[in-house]
Amino acid sequence: MAKRDVAAVLWFVAGWSGGGLFAGLLDLPSVVGIVPGIVLAIVVRWDPTHVLWSDAKAGARTVRPMDDLAGELERDAAQGSRADGDRARA
């Protein structure tokens, strides 16, 4: 079970308990207490503002083929050796 799912269940129980207490104070049926639990669980699980859970795609690593990286390193090395040669002549 993922962290989001566990957190949603815990917030559901907390919201249901708090809603039941509040419903008891207002002489409402105790079944009304389940509504805050459902709302809290949905908001925690969904997290529309991404405050609770980071966006998975934002922190994802990019995988580059080794051939591309090797070619880039070779180009950088070739440019570096030309610059060293220019300094030696000057």
Side-chain angles (χ1 to χ4, degrees), residues 37-71:
I38 292 172
V39 169
L40 281 173
I42 289 172
V43 168
V44 167
R45 178 65 176 96
W46 180 36
D47 188 25
T49 59
H50 301 289
V51 172
L52 300 174
W53 312 108
S54 62
D55 191 14
K57 293 179 183 176
R61 294 180 5 187
T62 57
V63 178
R64 294 174 44 191
M66 189 63 184
D67 294 337
D68 292 346
L69 180 62

Side-chain angles (χ1 to χ4, degrees), residues 81-90:
S81 64
R82 282 190 222 135
D84 292 338
D86 292 340
R87 276 192 229 136
R89 291 183 201 154

Side-chain angles (χ1 to χ4, degrees), residues 64 67-80 82:
R64 294 174 44 191
D67 294 337
D68 292 346
L69 180 62
E72 185 178 321
L73 290 174
E74 287 176 2
R75 283 191 303 273
D76 290 346
Q79 289 175 355
R82 282 190 222 135

Side-chain angles (χ1 to χ4, degrees), residues 1-17:
M1 196 178 243
K3 289 186 217 179
R4 281 188 182 198
D5 298 332
V6 172
V9 169
L10 292 175
W11 277 103
F12 170 74
V13 172
W16 189 0
S17 300

